Amino acid sequence: MATGRLWGVGLGPGDPELVTVKAARLLGEADVIAFHSARHGRSIARSVAAPYLREGQIEEALIYPLTTETTDHPGGYQGAIDDFYAECALRLAAHLDAGRDVVVLCEGDPLFYGSYMHMHKRLSHRYVTEVVPGVTSVSGAAAVLGRPLVERDETLTVLPGTLPAEVLAERLASADSAAILKLGRTFAKVRDALDRAGRLDEAWYVERATTGGQRLAPLAEVDPDSVPYFSLALIPSPVNAAQAGPVREAEPATPAGGPGEVVVVGLGPAGRPWLTPEAQDALAGADELVGYGPYLDRVPPNPRQRRHPTDNRVEAERAAHALELAAGGSRVAVVSSGDPGVFAMASAVLEVACEPRFADVPVRVLPGLTAAHAVASRAGAPLGHDYCVLSLSDLLKPWEVVAGRITAAARADLVLAIYNPASKSRTWQVAAARDLLLEHRAPETPVVIGRDVGGAGESMTVTTLAELDPAMVDMRCLLLVGSSTTRAVKRGDGGQVVFTPRRYPA
């Protein structure tokens, strides 16, 4: 069988309409589409290519094992990245050996600081390979600024912001025009180098050029904390600079006036690593963010978006507000911790959305990783067999109902995942639930207390039902109470795992 062909395809700086005709054709023809992303799974390259892809294509997500964090890899950061590229090359080679054509997506140009080049170095000597150039971020930035890069006999200097500050300053001082890439965490150093070189007043800041999230500003006026990796600094051509008029950005789009949309988004139990790419995409595309204040704080601020934090006990009012904003034409994301359909905002939003006044407002619910599953993963596999999920809160249902359900689950020998076990005003329910369970469960039944899983205060405690101390439990905890078959086992490495076997005894 003939081997497949490898293509490194440049997609340009971000606007899908800047994808070349050849690149668009190859995107639709390829058997396999490969793209890089960080661990959140969201790929800018994939989103740019999306209009040109077709149903049935194989997608290979090449997810970096780390970006800027530390690693215990024996070869350090570079060793971990080299192993990652080697593993990615093996995955793509398997497709090429099977006769499949592989397109590797790359923002900008594949051989201009592009991620594709690492696959090129490892595979191009073994397979027929072609690189399709793309519009670079530097060209895109100059275009949206409306300023020439170079004129006449000038030279253009391109620098990575990762260079030492003294090297940047030296090269900027002698440059005609200059572009500095890879800002993000390097921005403060780059700004200082521009200042030391006497070029700060000439420099422009360009973020996400040619996209809907584009931002242009004199670099001296930019807040370092607001700078993402996909941005650059540009010193345009000094020829006729004095005659150049002020740069004007396009006015931001305003809602069309028709119904917008409400998307109820599950944030997962903690930070960004627990957030799905689908949820991240919905948050990025929203005009308005609505939610309980501490949950909204977990979404990075974006000056394009308006945020509407509220108290935790006004779910119906929060839902109505979100639907009213959407009825006015806004794209609204209502955020929930964990999964929005599990003791969270999806029910509240849908209940209000069923009122006649909101009949024409679209509502979607995007799932998130639940607290129960997060805690279970830290403990082992306590939810490996049948289980039930219930809340100890008696704010929205009588305690008699809660107690009856605890007893029913205990009699049915189900593992229990218990939400909302305690709060400042509810301190007795944990002990009451324990006593009800002990009527049907052995004292040595394993109990897992997971607190703030994924957060800075994460802790995991494994105890037994008889020894469960209510003083250890607060509102940031979730309890997992085992069934008659759940086991807590010490392993050879000194760790302990809790799991419920999949087979139930006859």
Side-chain angles (χ1 to χ4, degrees), residues 23-40:
R25 174 177 61 81
L26 293 172
L27 292 174
E29 293 177 352
D31 303 305
V32 180
I33 301 293
F35 51 89
H36 292 82
S37 78
R39 284 185 296 178
H40 51 63

Side-chain angles (χ1 to χ4, degrees), residues 203-230:
W204 284 89
Y205 171 81
V206 184
E207 175 182 321
R208 296 185 172 94
T210 77
T211 73
Q214 170 181 299
R215 179 163 66 121
L216 316 177
L219 190 136
E221 299 176 5
V222 174
D223 177 6
D225 292 335
S226 69
V227 176
Y229 179 81
F230 286 98

Side-chain angles (χ1 to χ4, degrees), residues 141-214:
V144 298
L145 277 173
R147 299 289 178 84
L149 279 173
V150 282
E151 296 187 48
R152 302 178 187 171
D153 298 327
E154 294 173 337
T155 59
L156 172 65
T157 300
V158 179
L159 303 167
T162 50
L163 289 174
E166 61 274 11
V167 175
L168 285 170
E170 179 183 355
R171 297 189 181 180
L172 289 167
S174 60
D176 295 326
S177 304
I180 311 170
L181 284 66
K182 303 183 181 182
L183 293 188
R185 294 171 181 240
T186 71
F187 180 82
K189 177 181 65 174
V190 170
R191 187 187 186 285
D192 180 62
L194 285 162
D195 193 25
R196 289 164 56 184
R199 309 296 297 273
L200 183 58
D201 291 341
E202 303 172 57
W204 284 89
Y205 171 81
V206 184
E207 175 182 321
R208 296 185 172 94
T210 77
T211 73
Q214 170 181 299

Side-chain angles (χ1 to χ4, degrees), residues 450-473:
R451 186 178 191 280
D452 192 27
V453 169
E458 176 178 325
S459 66
M460 294 291 297
T461 303
V462 178
T463 184
T464 65
L465 189 57
E467 296 174 346
L468 173 60
D469 181 2
M472 298 179 62
V473 181

Side-chain angles (χ1 to χ4, degrees), residues 250-299:
E251 293 295 324
T254 55
E261 180 186 36
V262 171
V263 184
V264 191
V265 179
L267 300 178
R272 186 172 182 135
W274 303 80
L275 187 66
T276 68
E278 184 181 33
Q280 177 61 33
D281 185 60
L283 293 174
D287 304 311
E288 320 264 356
L289 300 177
V290 176
Y292 177 42
Y295 298 158
L296 271 184
D297 290 342
R298 285 164 47 184
V299 181

